[in-house]
Amino acid sequence: MTAASSWRDDVVELLPALRAFAWSLSHNSPDADDLVQETLIKAWSNRDKFESGTNLRAWLFTILRNTYYSNVVRRRREIPDEGGVYAGALKTAATQDWSLAVRALQAALSKLPDEHREALILIGAAGLSYEEAAEVCGCALGTIKSRVNRARAKLLKIMDAEDPSDVLASTSQSASGGN
């Protein structure tokens, strides 16, 4: 097996994690797919700059994150959907308790500061280690641990819960009429 095919196989193995992180940033499947594709193009074009023996996962997540924020800056020139009229027309009503919990979680996550939300998603959803997340965010290990801790605490406060298990229970009760 050549070094290029081994590198390619390692990248392909990380695609689900990259897609999950892209979706957590964009909240839109087509945008997430575009973001992952753009990340892969940049990674492939610059594979000679990747230092063998370093963390490929962190390198790819950093490319994805930087690409996302570059796109955000570029999109500031576009007309925003501030009222959510267009986005609201694309949604369907929740039919299951878990979808209500996911909506509540998404709403609560959107209220977190960007750094806290990003740290929590990298650790909790993308499955990165604290060290990898610190590398992706370009900050110290203690900083990422602090951000995750604060994000979890704020998330529970926003969702009016004392324990993470309370979140699903309260969402299910409100969906069933408070029983």
Side-chain angles (χ1 to χ4, degrees):
M1 184 180 293
T2 66
S5 64
S6 173
W7 186 86
R8 184 185 68 229
D9 292 343
D10 292 343
V11 170
V12 169
E13 192 175 298
L14 294 170
L15 284 177
L18 286 169
R19 176 126 185 1
F21 184 50
W23 190 91
S24 73
L25 293 171
S26 66
H27 301 290
N28 180 311
S29 290
D31 288 347
D33 291 338
D34 291 346
L35 187 55
V36 170
Q37 182 175 0
E38 195 172 342
T39 299
L40 294 175
I41 290 168
K42 288 179 180 181
W44 185 259
S45 299
N46 295 293
R47 67 187 179 279
D48 57 317
K49 295 178 184 168
F50 176 72
E51 296 179 25
S52 184
T54 60
N55 192 335
L56 178 62
R57 182 181 182 143
W59 187 67
L60 291 170
F61 271 76
T62 302
I63 292 171
L64 190 142
R65 176 181 178 260
N66 291 344
T67 301
Y68 171 76
Y69 285 118
S70 295
N71 290 342
V72 167
V73 170
R74 195 175 308 126
R75 287 184 181 164
R76 285 187 181 153
R77 295 181 204 106
E78 296 177 4
I79 297 171
D81 183 19
E82 292 176 11
V85 175
Y86 301 112
L90 300 174
K91 295 182 181 178
T92 59
T95 57
Q96 298 177 355
D97 290 346
W98 61 265
S99 63
L100 294 175
V102 169
R103 269 197 195 156
L105 179 60
Q106 287 175 330
L109 281 170
S110 70
K111 294 178 184 176
L112 293 176
D114 290 342
E115 310 85 35
H116 293 171
R117 180 176 51 254
E118 182 177 72
L120 189 60
I121 289 169
L122 286 171
I123 299 298
L128 268 66
S129 68
Y130 284 102
E131 292 81 7
E132 290 171 328
E135 190 175 332
V136 168
C137 293
C139 64
L141 177 62
T143 302
I144 207 74
K145 287 181 178 181
S146 175
R147 287 178 184 174
V148 170
N149 185 42
R150 288 181 181 155
R152 286 177 178 154
K154 285 181 184 180
L155 202 56
L156 286 173
K157 186 175 181 182
I158 290 168
M159 297 185 83
D160 196 29
E162 293 179 23
D163 185 75
S165 61
D166 295 342
V167 174
L168 186 57
S170 66
T171 305
S172 296
Q173 286 178 353
S174 65
S176 65
N179 286 331

